[in-house]
Amino acid sequence: MSHESAPRGQLMIVATPIGNLGDLSPRALALLEGADAVYCEDTRHSRTLFAAHGISPRHRLLALHEHNETAASVEVVERVARGELVVLISDAGTPGISDPGATVVAHVVRAGLTVSTAPGPTAVIGALSVSGLATDRFVMEGFLGRKAGERAASFAAWRRERRTIVFYESPQRVAATLGELARSLPGRRAAVVRELTKLHEEVLRGTVQELAAQLSARDVRGEIVVVLEGAGEPEAPAQAVVAAALRERFSHGASVRDAVADVVAELGVARRETYALALTMRADEGPGAPARDGSAGTS
Ligand code: SAM
């Protein structure tokens, strides 16, 4: 690796494969080879990755996991400050994504030192990209809570969530989770993405009811991401509903301006169309109708 592509004195967040070893990028490989220290969740696990790529770990493979992240972060800051190239990896995928990483990055940033990345695999993006669901806006929920109350709160929030929802789930719980979704959000489409990039890769697509039925009838194994369709755009209220809301305001003596403002706020309808409708209604009432306010702007 050239000096330019891996300057010393920085922390590099390096993504590693989520299954297929071929997904380790040449740049990630060079960083692992050239680092002064590589911090990883589980040194034994990462030694397997190093061995598969012919990297000799020597003394540079150090542990950084959820139980020592703060102490190890202090150590990382000291190393970076004295000019070392420190690499952070996790067991699989991108560090910091439902994995340790955020704390050490915050420490390095707070010390005014540089953090950079060799980006690559992460199950959340892989699953989203093959789901067949909308990818333009999405929300990553990490692992769902295990307590019934936490799960119920998530499902309630998702009833109004317009973005596609992605979460990690265990094979033991996924059938029950889809069952809960079938009851809470019937009709929503979803994709259950299993063992991405591995031999038994599988993507099940359907409504949450269909997926719950499929999964409850089999022994589910491997690593899983669930991608759930968002709530979609709410249907615009019919004109009759908007007219009724305006009429109700008029009957209480509201001006056109006030009635429109009120109805726009309540129903979330377009101001311009609501204003035009209000004026038409007023005109239809004839010249005898009290001219409470026809002068408001249409912006
Ligand atoms: N940092 C990782 C990443 O960037 O994706 C995620 C780590 S999290 C502890 C592990 C979870 O990611 C698994 O339980 C599973 O939900 C998901 N996952 C990891 N690899 C996967 C794969 N190959 N296929 C499907 N899901 C995977």
PDB file of all heavy atoms in Angstrom, residues 16 18-20 41 90-99 121-125 127 140 143 167-171 193-198 222-226, ligand 1:
ATOM      1  N   THR A  16     -15.454  -5.869   6.333  1.00  0.00           N
ATOM      2  CA  THR A  16     -14.998  -7.219   5.946  1.00  0.00           C
ATOM      3  C   THR A  16     -16.216  -8.025   5.474  1.00  0.00           C
ATOM      4  O   THR A  16     -17.360  -7.636   5.724  1.00  0.00           O
ATOM      5  CB  THR A  16     -14.305  -7.918   7.136  1.00  0.00           C
ATOM      6  OG1 THR A  16     -15.229  -7.986   8.226  1.00  0.00           O
ATOM      7  CG2 THR A  16     -13.053  -7.166   7.569  1.00  0.00           C
ATOM      8  N   ILE A  18     -19.445 -10.422   4.761  1.00  0.00           N
ATOM      9  CA  ILE A  18     -20.530 -10.945   5.602  1.00  0.00           C
ATOM     10  C   ILE A  18     -20.785 -12.419   5.256  1.00  0.00           C
ATOM     11  O   ILE A  18     -21.798 -12.976   5.638  1.00  0.00           O
ATOM     12  CB  ILE A  18     -21.823 -10.118   5.454  1.00  0.00           C
ATOM     13  CG1 ILE A  18     -22.277 -10.042   3.992  1.00  0.00           C
ATOM     14  CG2 ILE A  18     -21.643  -8.716   6.018  1.00  0.00           C
ATOM     15  CD1 ILE A  18     -23.691  -9.469   3.823  1.00  0.00           C
ATOM     16  N   GLY A  19     -19.893 -13.013   4.531  1.00  0.00           N
ATOM     17  CA  GLY A  19     -20.047 -14.424   4.165  1.00  0.00           C
ATOM     18  C   GLY A  19     -18.992 -14.807   3.139  1.00  0.00           C
ATOM     19  O   GLY A  19     -18.051 -15.549   3.434  1.00  0.00           O
ATOM     20  N   ASN A  20     -19.124 -14.261   1.964  1.00  0.00           N
ATOM     21  CA  ASN A  20     -18.222 -14.609   0.869  1.00  0.00           C
ATOM     22  C   ASN A  20     -16.879 -13.891   1.033  1.00  0.00           C
ATOM     23  O   ASN A  20     -16.802 -12.656   0.974  1.00  0.00           O
ATOM     24  CB  ASN A  20     -18.878 -14.204  -0.454  1.00  0.00           C
ATOM     25  CG  ASN A  20     -18.119 -14.762  -1.641  1.00  0.00           C
ATOM     26  OD1 ASN A  20     -16.892 -14.764  -1.656  1.00  0.00           O
ATOM     27  ND2 ASN A  20     -18.856 -15.248  -2.621  1.00  0.00           N
ATOM     28  N   GLU A  41     -13.336  -7.631  17.027  1.00  0.00           N
ATOM     29  CA  GLU A  41     -14.221  -8.081  18.111  1.00  0.00           C
ATOM     30  C   GLU A  41     -13.690  -9.332  18.775  1.00  0.00           C
ATOM     31  O   GLU A  41     -13.699  -9.467  19.985  1.00  0.00           O
ATOM     32  CB  GLU A  41     -15.593  -8.436  17.531  1.00  0.00           C
ATOM     33  CG  GLU A  41     -16.508  -7.282  17.288  1.00  0.00           C
ATOM     34  CD  GLU A  41     -17.858  -7.816  16.859  1.00  0.00           C
ATOM     35  OE1 GLU A  41     -18.696  -8.109  17.721  1.00  0.00           O
ATOM     36  OE2 GLU A  41     -18.071  -7.952  15.638  1.00  0.00           O
ATOM     37  N   SER A  90     -14.857  -5.607  12.403  1.00  0.00           N
ATOM     38  CA  SER A  90     -15.730  -6.370  13.302  1.00  0.00           C
ATOM     39  C   SER A  90     -15.732  -7.813  12.803  1.00  0.00           C
ATOM     40  O   SER A  90     -15.042  -8.142  11.837  1.00  0.00           O
ATOM     41  CB  SER A  90     -17.138  -5.769  13.328  1.00  0.00           C
ATOM     42  OG  SER A  90     -17.699  -5.787  12.042  1.00  0.00           O
ATOM     43  N   ASP A  91     -16.526  -8.672  13.434  1.00  0.00           N
ATOM     44  CA  ASP A  91     -16.546 -10.074  12.994  1.00  0.00           C
ATOM     45  C   ASP A  91     -16.964 -10.173  11.527  1.00  0.00           C
ATOM     46  O   ASP A  91     -16.486 -11.030  10.787  1.00  0.00           O
ATOM     47  CB  ASP A  91     -17.525 -10.891  13.853  1.00  0.00           C
ATOM     48  CG  ASP A  91     -16.910 -11.288  15.187  1.00  0.00           C
ATOM     49  OD1 ASP A  91     -15.702 -11.057  15.377  1.00  0.00           O
ATOM     50  OD2 ASP A  91     -17.646 -11.832  16.036  1.00  0.00           O
ATOM     51  N   ALA A  92     -17.890  -9.322  11.127  1.00  0.00           N
ATOM     52  CA  ALA A  92     -18.369  -9.351   9.741  1.00  0.00           C
ATOM     53  C   ALA A  92     -19.018  -8.018   9.407  1.00  0.00           C
ATOM     54  O   ALA A  92     -19.609  -7.370  10.280  1.00  0.00           O
ATOM     55  CB  ALA A  92     -19.404 -10.465   9.568  1.00  0.00           C
ATOM     56  N   GLY A  93     -18.882  -7.605   8.177  1.00  0.00           N
ATOM     57  CA  GLY A  93     -19.552  -6.389   7.726  1.00  0.00           C
ATOM     58  C   GLY A  93     -18.833  -5.129   8.182  1.00  0.00           C
ATOM     59  O   GLY A  93     -17.610  -5.097   8.347  1.00  0.00           O
ATOM     60  N   THR A  94     -19.626  -4.097   8.420  1.00  0.00           N
ATOM     61  CA  THR A  94     -19.076  -2.774   8.725  1.00  0.00           C
ATOM     62  C   THR A  94     -19.087  -2.529  10.235  1.00  0.00           C
ATOM     63  O   THR A  94     -20.144  -2.640  10.861  1.00  0.00           O
ATOM     64  CB  THR A  94     -19.907  -1.694   8.006  1.00  0.00           C
ATOM     65  OG1 THR A  94     -19.841  -1.948   6.594  1.00  0.00           O
ATOM     66  CG2 THR A  94     -19.370  -0.308   8.281  1.00  0.00           C
ATOM     67  N   PRO A  95     -17.935  -2.205  10.819  1.00  0.00           N
ATOM     68  CA  PRO A  95     -17.906  -1.895  12.253  1.00  0.00           C
ATOM     69  C   PRO A  95     -18.879  -0.751  12.562  1.00  0.00           C
ATOM     70  O   PRO A  95     -19.073   0.148  11.742  1.00  0.00           O
ATOM     71  CB  PRO A  95     -16.454  -1.446  12.487  1.00  0.00           C
ATOM     72  CG  PRO A  95     -15.676  -2.106  11.409  1.00  0.00           C
ATOM     73  CD  PRO A  95     -16.594  -2.133  10.213  1.00  0.00           C
ATOM     74  N   GLY A  96     -19.474  -0.808  13.750  1.00  0.00           N
ATOM     75  CA  GLY A  96     -20.391   0.265  14.164  1.00  0.00           C
ATOM     76  C   GLY A  96     -21.822   0.023  13.744  1.00  0.00           C
ATOM     77  O   GLY A  96     -22.728   0.688  14.237  1.00  0.00           O
ATOM     78  N   ILE A  97     -22.056  -0.904  12.817  1.00  0.00           N
ATOM     79  CA  ILE A  97     -23.423  -1.196  12.384  1.00  0.00           C
ATOM     80  C   ILE A  97     -23.887  -2.431  13.153  1.00  0.00           C
ATOM     81  O   ILE A  97     -23.492  -3.564  12.838  1.00  0.00           O
ATOM     82  CB  ILE A  97     -23.487  -1.450  10.851  1.00  0.00           C
ATOM     83  CG1 ILE A  97     -22.851  -0.299  10.080  1.00  0.00           C
ATOM     84  CG2 ILE A  97     -24.931  -1.691  10.407  1.00  0.00           C
ATOM     85  CD1 ILE A  97     -23.469   1.073  10.321  1.00  0.00           C
ATOM     86  N   SER A  98     -24.657  -2.205  14.220  1.00  0.00           N
ATOM     87  CA  SER A  98     -25.038  -3.268  15.174  1.00  0.00           C
ATOM     88  C   SER A  98     -23.801  -4.030  15.627  1.00  0.00           C
ATOM     89  O   SER A  98     -23.838  -5.264  15.803  1.00  0.00           O
ATOM     90  CB  SER A  98     -26.082  -4.221  14.571  1.00  0.00           C
ATOM     91  OG  SER A  98     -27.290  -3.553  14.348  1.00  0.00           O
ATOM     92  N   ASP A  99     -22.725  -3.347  15.790  1.00  0.00           N
ATOM     93  CA  ASP A  99     -21.429  -3.886  16.201  1.00  0.00           C
ATOM     94  C   ASP A  99     -20.652  -2.774  16.900  1.00  0.00           C
ATOM     95  O   ASP A  99     -20.964  -1.592  16.683  1.00  0.00           O
ATOM     96  CB  ASP A  99     -20.615  -4.303  14.949  1.00  0.00           C
ATOM     97  CG  ASP A  99     -20.767  -5.773  14.636  1.00  0.00           C
ATOM     98  OD1 ASP A  99     -21.179  -6.533  15.531  1.00  0.00           O
ATOM     99  OD2 ASP A  99     -20.455  -6.162  13.503  1.00  0.00           O
ATOM    100  N   PRO A 121     -18.856  -4.441   2.542  1.00  0.00           N
ATOM    101  CA  PRO A 121     -20.074  -5.185   2.885  1.00  0.00           C
ATOM    102  C   PRO A 121     -20.739  -4.735   4.172  1.00  0.00           C
ATOM    103  O   PRO A 121     -20.075  -4.383   5.139  1.00  0.00           O
ATOM    104  CB  PRO A 121     -19.554  -6.626   3.061  1.00  0.00           C
ATOM    105  CG  PRO A 121     -18.267  -6.676   2.326  1.00  0.00           C
ATOM    106  CD  PRO A 121     -17.689  -5.304   2.395  1.00  0.00           C
ATOM    107  N   THR A 122     -22.056  -4.747   4.134  1.00  0.00           N
ATOM    108  CA  THR A 122     -22.867  -4.627   5.345  1.00  0.00           C
ATOM    109  C   THR A 122     -24.207  -5.263   5.012  1.00  0.00           C
ATOM    110  O   THR A 122     -24.769  -5.038   3.929  1.00  0.00           O
ATOM    111  CB  THR A 122     -23.014  -3.163   5.823  1.00  0.00           C
ATOM    112  OG1 THR A 122     -23.831  -3.172   6.993  1.00  0.00           O
ATOM    113  CG2 THR A 122     -23.613  -2.234   4.800  1.00  0.00           C
ATOM    114  N   ALA A 123     -24.713  -6.082   5.938  1.00  0.00           N
ATOM    115  CA  ALA A 123     -25.926  -6.848   5.640  1.00  0.00           C
ATOM    116  C   ALA A 123     -27.119  -5.940   5.385  1.00  0.00           C
ATOM    117  O   ALA A 123     -27.988  -6.274   4.575  1.00  0.00           O
ATOM    118  CB  ALA A 123     -26.212  -7.816   6.787  1.00  0.00           C
ATOM    119  N   VAL A 124     -27.165  -4.795   6.059  1.00  0.00           N
ATOM    120  CA  VAL A 124     -28.328  -3.912   5.896  1.00  0.00           C
ATOM    121  C   VAL A 124     -28.474  -3.438   4.448  1.00  0.00           C
ATOM    122  O   VAL A 124     -29.573  -3.507   3.869  1.00  0.00           O
ATOM    123  CB  VAL A 124     -28.293  -2.724   6.897  1.00  0.00           C
ATOM    124  CG1 VAL A 124     -27.008  -1.978   6.877  1.00  0.00           C
ATOM    125  CG2 VAL A 124     -29.425  -1.753   6.654  1.00  0.00           C
ATOM    126  N   ILE A 125     -27.394  -3.011   3.854  1.00  0.00           N
ATOM    127  CA  ILE A 125     -27.478  -2.500   2.476  1.00  0.00           C
ATOM    128  C   ILE A 125     -27.654  -3.659   1.487  1.00  0.00           C
ATOM    129  O   ILE A 125     -28.420  -3.559   0.522  1.00  0.00           O
ATOM    130  CB  ILE A 125     -26.224  -1.665   2.128  1.00  0.00           C
ATOM    131  CG1 ILE A 125     -26.131  -0.451   3.062  1.00  0.00           C
ATOM    132  CG2 ILE A 125     -26.255  -1.213   0.666  1.00  0.00           C
ATOM    133  CD1 ILE A 125     -27.271   0.542   2.959  1.00  0.00           C
ATOM    134  N   ALA A 127     -29.167  -6.508   1.978  1.00  0.00           N
ATOM    135  CA  ALA A 127     -30.553  -6.988   2.051  1.00  0.00           C
ATOM    136  C   ALA A 127     -31.514  -5.998   1.398  1.00  0.00           C
ATOM    137  O   ALA A 127     -32.398  -6.388   0.630  1.00  0.00           O
ATOM    138  CB  ALA A 127     -30.941  -7.220   3.508  1.00  0.00           C
ATOM    139  N   MET A 140     -32.944   2.108   9.419  1.00  0.00           N
ATOM    140  CA  MET A 140     -32.327   0.896   9.945  1.00  0.00           C
ATOM    141  C   MET A 140     -32.610   0.825  11.438  1.00  0.00           C
ATOM    142  O   MET A 140     -32.264   1.736  12.179  1.00  0.00           O
ATOM    143  CB  MET A 140     -30.817   0.957   9.676  1.00  0.00           C
ATOM    144  CG  MET A 140     -30.012  -0.102  10.409  1.00  0.00           C
ATOM    145  SD  MET A 140     -30.621  -1.769  10.091  1.00  0.00           S
ATOM    146  CE  MET A 140     -29.312  -2.737  10.848  1.00  0.00           C
ATOM    147  N   PHE A 143     -31.177  -4.464  15.793  1.00  0.00           N
ATOM    148  CA  PHE A 143     -31.925  -5.635  16.268  1.00  0.00           C
ATOM    149  C   PHE A 143     -33.184  -5.150  16.984  1.00  0.00           C
ATOM    150  O   PHE A 143     -33.118  -4.183  17.746  1.00  0.00           O
ATOM    151  CB  PHE A 143     -31.078  -6.450  17.250  1.00  0.00           C
ATOM    152  CG  PHE A 143     -30.016  -7.277  16.590  1.00  0.00           C
ATOM    153  CD1 PHE A 143     -28.709  -6.820  16.493  1.00  0.00           C
ATOM    154  CD2 PHE A 143     -30.328  -8.524  16.057  1.00  0.00           C
ATOM    155  CE1 PHE A 143     -27.730  -7.587  15.878  1.00  0.00           C
ATOM    156  CE2 PHE A 143     -29.357  -9.301  15.444  1.00  0.00           C
ATOM    157  CZ  PHE A 143     -28.054  -8.829  15.358  1.00  0.00           C
ATOM    158  N   PHE A 167     -34.389  -4.421   9.584  1.00  0.00           N
ATOM    159  CA  PHE A 167     -33.883  -4.811  10.900  1.00  0.00           C
ATOM    160  C   PHE A 167     -33.235  -6.190  10.854  1.00  0.00           C
ATOM    161  O   PHE A 167     -33.520  -6.998   9.972  1.00  0.00           O
ATOM    162  CB  PHE A 167     -34.965  -4.732  11.989  1.00  0.00           C
ATOM    163  CG  PHE A 167     -36.176  -5.605  11.779  1.00  0.00           C
ATOM    164  CD1 PHE A 167     -36.245  -6.864  12.348  1.00  0.00           C
ATOM    165  CD2 PHE A 167     -37.260  -5.156  11.047  1.00  0.00           C
ATOM    166  CE1 PHE A 167     -37.371  -7.661  12.188  1.00  0.00           C
ATOM    167  CE2 PHE A 167     -38.393  -5.950  10.872  1.00  0.00           C
ATOM    168  CZ  PHE A 167     -38.445  -7.202  11.441  1.00  0.00           C
ATOM    169  N   TYR A 168     -32.328  -6.400  11.797  1.00  0.00           N
ATOM    170  CA  TYR A 168     -31.661  -7.691  11.933  1.00  0.00           C
ATOM    171  C   TYR A 168     -32.502  -8.568  12.858  1.00  0.00           C
ATOM    172  O   TYR A 168     -33.094  -8.076  13.819  1.00  0.00           O
ATOM    173  CB  TYR A 168     -30.259  -7.506  12.539  1.00  0.00           C
ATOM    174  CG  TYR A 168     -29.258  -6.815  11.628  1.00  0.00           C
ATOM    175  CD1 TYR A 168     -28.138  -6.185  12.162  1.00  0.00           C
ATOM    176  CD2 TYR A 168     -29.407  -6.814  10.255  1.00  0.00           C
ATOM    177  CE1 TYR A 168     -27.206  -5.564  11.350  1.00  0.00           C
ATOM    178  CE2 TYR A 168     -28.481  -6.193   9.431  1.00  0.00           C
ATOM    179  CZ  TYR A 168     -27.385  -5.571   9.982  1.00  0.00           C
ATOM    180  OH  TYR A 168     -26.460  -4.964   9.173  1.00  0.00           O
ATOM    181  N   GLU A 169     -32.547  -9.859  12.573  1.00  0.00           N
ATOM    182  CA  GLU A 169     -33.352 -10.759  13.401  1.00  0.00           C
ATOM    183  C   GLU A 169     -32.664 -12.121  13.514  1.00  0.00           C
ATOM    184  O   GLU A 169     -31.903 -12.519  12.619  1.00  0.00           O
ATOM    185  CB  GLU A 169     -34.754 -10.894  12.766  1.00  0.00           C
ATOM    186  CG  GLU A 169     -35.765 -11.654  13.585  1.00  0.00           C
ATOM    187  CD  GLU A 169     -35.911 -11.159  15.028  1.00  0.00           C
ATOM    188  OE1 GLU A 169     -34.974 -11.365  15.829  1.00  0.00           O
ATOM    189  OE2 GLU A 169     -36.960 -10.578  15.353  1.00  0.00           O
ATOM    190  N   SER A 170     -32.920 -12.795  14.619  1.00  0.00           N
ATOM    191  CA  SER A 170     -32.300 -14.116  14.795  1.00  0.00           C
ATOM    192  C   SER A 170     -33.178 -15.182  14.138  1.00  0.00           C
ATOM    193  O   SER A 170     -34.400 -15.010  14.046  1.00  0.00           O
ATOM    194  CB  SER A 170     -32.128 -14.423  16.286  1.00  0.00           C
ATOM    195  OG  SER A 170     -33.343 -14.919  16.791  1.00  0.00           O
ATOM    196  N   PRO A 171     -32.565 -16.291  13.709  1.00  0.00           N
ATOM    197  CA  PRO A 171     -33.364 -17.344  13.062  1.00  0.00           C
ATOM    198  C   PRO A 171     -34.396 -17.946  14.017  1.00  0.00           C
ATOM    199  O   PRO A 171     -35.467 -18.370  13.584  1.00  0.00           O
ATOM    200  CB  PRO A 171     -32.327 -18.391  12.640  1.00  0.00           C
ATOM    201  CG  PRO A 171     -31.090 -18.073  13.411  1.00  0.00           C
ATOM    202  CD  PRO A 171     -31.131 -16.611  13.735  1.00  0.00           C
ATOM    203  N   VAL A 193     -34.329 -11.896   4.200  1.00  0.00           N
ATOM    204  CA  VAL A 193     -33.082 -12.129   3.464  1.00  0.00           C
ATOM    205  C   VAL A 193     -32.158 -12.953   4.360  1.00  0.00           C
ATOM    206  O   VAL A 193     -31.785 -12.523   5.447  1.00  0.00           O
ATOM    207  CB  VAL A 193     -32.436 -10.782   3.090  1.00  0.00           C
ATOM    208  CG1 VAL A 193     -31.164 -11.007   2.287  1.00  0.00           C
ATOM    209  CG2 VAL A 193     -33.415  -9.914   2.310  1.00  0.00           C
ATOM    210  N   ARG A 194     -31.814 -14.142   3.875  1.00  0.00           N
ATOM    211  CA  ARG A 194     -31.090 -15.090   4.731  1.00  0.00           C
ATOM    212  C   ARG A 194     -29.754 -15.470   4.088  1.00  0.00           C
ATOM    213  O   ARG A 194     -29.671 -15.654   2.867  1.00  0.00           O
ATOM    214  CB  ARG A 194     -31.986 -16.338   4.864  1.00  0.00           C
ATOM    215  CG  ARG A 194     -31.686 -17.252   6.023  1.00  0.00           C
ATOM    216  CD  ARG A 194     -32.720 -18.343   6.132  1.00  0.00           C
ATOM    217  NE  ARG A 194     -32.622 -19.295   5.032  1.00  0.00           N
ATOM    218  CZ  ARG A 194     -31.743 -20.284   4.970  1.00  0.00           C
ATOM    219  NH1 ARG A 194     -30.905 -20.497   5.957  1.00  0.00           N
ATOM    220  NH2 ARG A 194     -31.700 -21.086   3.913  1.00  0.00           N
ATOM    221  N   GLU A 195     -28.709 -15.521   4.897  1.00  0.00           N
ATOM    222  CA  GLU A 195     -27.402 -16.037   4.464  1.00  0.00           C
ATOM    223  C   GLU A 195     -26.865 -15.345   3.189  1.00  0.00           C
ATOM    224  O   GLU A 195     -26.365 -16.012   2.277  1.00  0.00           O
ATOM    225  CB  GLU A 195     -27.485 -17.560   4.248  1.00  0.00           C
ATOM    226  CG  GLU A 195     -27.742 -18.359   5.510  1.00  0.00           C
ATOM    227  CD  GLU A 195     -26.522 -18.420   6.424  1.00  0.00           C
ATOM    228  OE1 GLU A 195     -26.358 -17.502   7.235  1.00  0.00           O
ATOM    229  OE2 GLU A 195     -25.737 -19.364   6.285  1.00  0.00           O
ATOM    230  N   LEU A 196     -26.979 -14.045   3.172  1.00  0.00           N
ATOM    231  CA  LEU A 196     -26.529 -13.253   2.018  1.00  0.00           C
ATOM    232  C   LEU A 196     -25.057 -13.519   1.705  1.00  0.00           C
ATOM    233  O   LEU A 196     -24.231 -13.546   2.626  1.00  0.00           O
ATOM    234  CB  LEU A 196     -26.729 -11.781   2.373  1.00  0.00           C
ATOM    235  CG  LEU A 196     -27.053 -10.761   1.301  1.00  0.00           C
ATOM    236  CD1 LEU A 196     -28.189 -11.221   0.400  1.00  0.00           C
ATOM    237  CD2 LEU A 196     -27.440  -9.451   1.984  1.00  0.00           C
ATOM    238  N   THR A 197     -24.767 -13.721   0.460  1.00  0.00           N
ATOM    239  CA  THR A 197     -23.434 -13.993  -0.112  1.00  0.00           C
ATOM    240  C   THR A 197     -22.897 -15.382   0.243  1.00  0.00           C
ATOM    241  O   THR A 197     -21.766 -15.717  -0.093  1.00  0.00           O
ATOM    242  CB  THR A 197     -22.355 -12.938   0.282  1.00  0.00           C
ATOM    243  OG1 THR A 197     -21.893 -13.186   1.622  1.00  0.00           O
ATOM    244  CG2 THR A 197     -22.838 -11.510   0.153  1.00  0.00           C
ATOM    245  N   LYS A 198     -23.690 -16.201   0.929  1.00  0.00           N
ATOM    246  CA  LYS A 198     -23.226 -17.538   1.319  1.00  0.00           C
ATOM    247  C   LYS A 198     -23.889 -18.614   0.457  1.00  0.00           C
ATOM    248  O   LYS A 198     -24.802 -18.320  -0.317  1.00  0.00           O
ATOM    249  CB  LYS A 198     -23.529 -17.799   2.795  1.00  0.00           C
ATOM    250  CG  LYS A 198     -22.921 -16.772   3.740  1.00  0.00           C
ATOM    251  CD  LYS A 198     -23.174 -17.178   5.164  1.00  0.00           C
ATOM    252  CE  LYS A 198     -23.114 -16.001   6.096  1.00  0.00           C
ATOM    253  NZ  LYS A 198     -23.418 -16.351   7.467  1.00  0.00           N
ATOM    254  N   GLY A 222     -29.391 -19.777  10.081  1.00  0.00           N
ATOM    255  CA  GLY A 222     -28.511 -18.803   9.429  1.00  0.00           C
ATOM    256  C   GLY A 222     -28.770 -17.380   9.863  1.00  0.00           C
ATOM    257  O   GLY A 222     -29.528 -17.117  10.793  1.00  0.00           O
ATOM    258  N   GLU A 223     -28.131 -16.458   9.164  1.00  0.00           N
ATOM    259  CA  GLU A 223     -28.216 -15.038   9.517  1.00  0.00           C
ATOM    260  C   GLU A 223     -29.303 -14.370   8.681  1.00  0.00           C
ATOM    261  O   GLU A 223     -29.440 -14.658   7.479  1.00  0.00           O
ATOM    262  CB  GLU A 223     -26.874 -14.368   9.290  1.00  0.00           C
ATOM    263  CG  GLU A 223     -25.802 -14.975  10.174  1.00  0.00           C
ATOM    264  CD  GLU A 223     -24.601 -14.079  10.271  1.00  0.00           C
ATOM    265  OE1 GLU A 223     -23.783 -14.124   9.336  1.00  0.00           O
ATOM    266  OE2 GLU A 223     -24.466 -13.355  11.262  1.00  0.00           O
ATOM    267  N   ILE A 224     -30.031 -13.479   9.326  1.00  0.00           N
ATOM    268  CA  ILE A 224     -31.255 -12.958   8.692  1.00  0.00           C
ATOM    269  C   ILE A 224     -31.398 -11.444   8.826  1.00  0.00           C
ATOM    270  O   ILE A 224     -31.137 -10.875   9.883  1.00  0.00           O
ATOM    271  CB  ILE A 224     -32.491 -13.635   9.324  1.00  0.00           C
ATOM    272  CG1 ILE A 224     -32.521 -15.097   8.868  1.00  0.00           C
ATOM    273  CG2 ILE A 224     -33.790 -12.942   8.950  1.00  0.00           C
ATOM    274  CD1 ILE A 224     -33.455 -15.967   9.611  1.00  0.00           C
ATOM    275  N   VAL A 225     -31.847 -10.840   7.730  1.00  0.00           N
ATOM    276  CA  VAL A 225     -32.260  -9.432   7.746  1.00  0.00           C
ATOM    277  C   VAL A 225     -33.702  -9.395   7.245  1.00  0.00           C
ATOM    278  O   VAL A 225     -34.043 -10.067   6.273  1.00  0.00           O
ATOM    279  CB  VAL A 225     -31.395  -8.560   6.805  1.00  0.00           C
ATOM    280  CG1 VAL A 225     -31.794  -7.090   6.917  1.00  0.00           C
ATOM    281  CG2 VAL A 225     -29.914  -8.729   7.094  1.00  0.00           C
ATOM    282  N   VAL A 226     -34.540  -8.619   7.920  1.00  0.00           N
ATOM    283  CA  VAL A 226     -35.922  -8.435   7.456  1.00  0.00           C
ATOM    284  C   VAL A 226     -36.051  -7.019   6.889  1.00  0.00           C
ATOM    285  O   VAL A 226     -35.605  -6.050   7.512  1.00  0.00           O
ATOM    286  CB  VAL A 226     -36.941  -8.636   8.600  1.00  0.00           C
ATOM    287  CG1 VAL A 226     -38.367  -8.414   8.102  1.00  0.00           C
ATOM    288  CG2 VAL A 226     -36.796 -10.032   9.206  1.00  0.00           C
TER     289      VAL A 226
HETATM  290  N1  SAM B   1     -21.820  -5.164  11.291  1.00  0.00           N
HETATM  291  C1  SAM B   1     -22.609  -6.113  10.579  1.00  0.00           C
HETATM  292  C2  SAM B   1     -23.048  -5.501   9.251  1.00  0.00           C
HETATM  293  O1  SAM B   1     -22.449  -4.518   8.814  1.00  0.00           O
HETATM  294  O2  SAM B   1     -23.985  -6.008   8.640  1.00  0.00           O
HETATM  295  C3  SAM B   1     -23.780  -6.607  11.386  1.00  0.00           C
HETATM  296  C4  SAM B   1     -23.406  -7.256  12.662  1.00  0.00           C
HETATM  297  S1  SAM B   1     -24.748  -7.873  13.575  1.00  0.00           S
HETATM  298  C5  SAM B   1     -23.967  -8.325  15.071  1.00  0.00           C
HETATM  299  C6  SAM B   1     -25.024  -9.454  12.857  1.00  0.00           C
HETATM  300  C7  SAM B   1     -26.374  -9.555  12.164  1.00  0.00           C
HETATM  301  O3  SAM B   1     -26.256  -9.052  10.839  1.00  0.00           O
HETATM  302  C8  SAM B   1     -26.862 -10.969  12.000  1.00  0.00           C
HETATM  303  O4  SAM B   1     -27.515 -11.451  13.148  1.00  0.00           O
HETATM  304  C9  SAM B   1     -27.811 -10.827  10.833  1.00  0.00           C
HETATM  305  O5  SAM B   1     -29.030 -10.289  11.272  1.00  0.00           O
HETATM  306  C10 SAM B   1     -27.080  -9.798   9.968  1.00  0.00           C
HETATM  307  N2  SAM B   1     -26.223 -10.460   9.000  1.00  0.00           N
HETATM  308  C11 SAM B   1     -24.872 -10.536   9.025  1.00  0.00           C
HETATM  309  N3  SAM B   1     -24.433 -11.238   7.961  1.00  0.00           N
HETATM  310  C12 SAM B   1     -25.505 -11.613   7.251  1.00  0.00           C
HETATM  311  C13 SAM B   1     -25.711 -12.368   6.064  1.00  0.00           C
HETATM  312  N4  SAM B   1     -24.692 -12.884   5.383  1.00  0.00           N
HETATM  313  N5  SAM B   1     -26.972 -12.541   5.628  1.00  0.00           N
HETATM  314  C14 SAM B   1     -28.020 -12.026   6.290  1.00  0.00           C
HETATM  315  N6  SAM B   1     -27.881 -11.324   7.427  1.00  0.00           N
HETATM  316  C15 SAM B   1     -26.666 -11.110   7.904  1.00  0.00           C
END
